[in-house]
Amino acid sequence: MIFILLCHRNFRRQISPLPPKIILMSPPFALFTIAVVLGAFLLPVDSFSTSSPISIVSRPKSALTRCKSTRGSPSIDNSDETPKHNKKKGDSVRNATGIRPSIHPTTINCIAEALLLRAKGGKRGDDTVIDIDIGKKDVQPLQIAMNAGTIAFDAIKQRNNAAAMDETTDIFNPGEAQTISGRVVGVVTRMRDLEQTLIEKVNEANWVTKYGEEESFGVLKGECRFAKTGEESGNTAEEVEKELSEMLKLNPLLRMNRAECLLALFIASVEQPTLEKIGQTVSGGSMIDFVDGDRIEVLGVA
């Protein structure tokens, strides 16, 4: 800035005695022009305002100009004058529209994990054992409900940890977390009854057996045959259960399809009637929009 003012002063001293062409060719005028151009390009972007004309005077003070001139060591004010905007976590599009992400994927994953744990006899990856099979007579239903709640809690905690590391991931609010936990506990504590209903629904749809689409519902052909004819199918109940456990451990798609159908049956037969009776709703609603039309028709849910 001092350089620009000095050049401007020299220019004013020489402008009167010289013709216009000489002025344009004079070194002071050339230096003044270069200094103004360079000064414009060196101005920070945020010094330009859409509501006021561009001005060199409006340039914010740098750290050096804020330096206090004292005989001791100079102290520099490094405080940033630019306002800082706190970044909002979560999907910006969803934040703008107010639409929350679906809680169905997390719920389905929890139910699929419960199916896998049951197939493994309750053994988890950390060598702990969680009783998750409601069919066991020596396990209390309350204990199974608590274990199912642990699966949901771990999934919610994992989602919140991911949100802390990734700004595009939303955390679950208390209502969503409560809905996820309630559905996981509700499905797991009714799992054997819901599975029996699922097999009955599949057997009633002749086209499923005709085209061999049992696995798209998460069930096996042996289960369906045994449900129709019992041991006349050539298998005992223990053999059918063993085959199912092996397939649930080996086939993640089978687990996922079964978990989706079990959740759909739970929402349609338990959650929706209960909420309608008490006049309440849950976070995310009770719409069954996570299975395709063919399975909705077979299951008789909406």
Side-chain angles (χ1 to χ4, degrees), residues 162-177:
M165 301 296 294
D166 183 6
E167 294 181 350
T168 62
T169 303
D170 291 290
I171 65 173
F172 292 124
N173 60 42
E176 293 168 341

Side-chain angles (χ1 to χ4, degrees), residues 281-298:
T281 59
V282 294
S283 296
S286 298
M287 294 292 296
I288 303 174
D289 53 1
F290 49 88
V291 292
D292 56 79
D294 290 337
R295 289 191 291 175
I296 287 179
E297 182 180 356
V298 172

Side-chain angles (χ1 to χ4, degrees), residues 131-141 144 192:
D131 289 320
I132 208 72
D133 188 0
I134 193 66
K136 288 186 176 181
K137 296 181 180 180
D138 57 341
V139 182
Q140 296 296 325
I144 293 177
R192 291 294 182 178

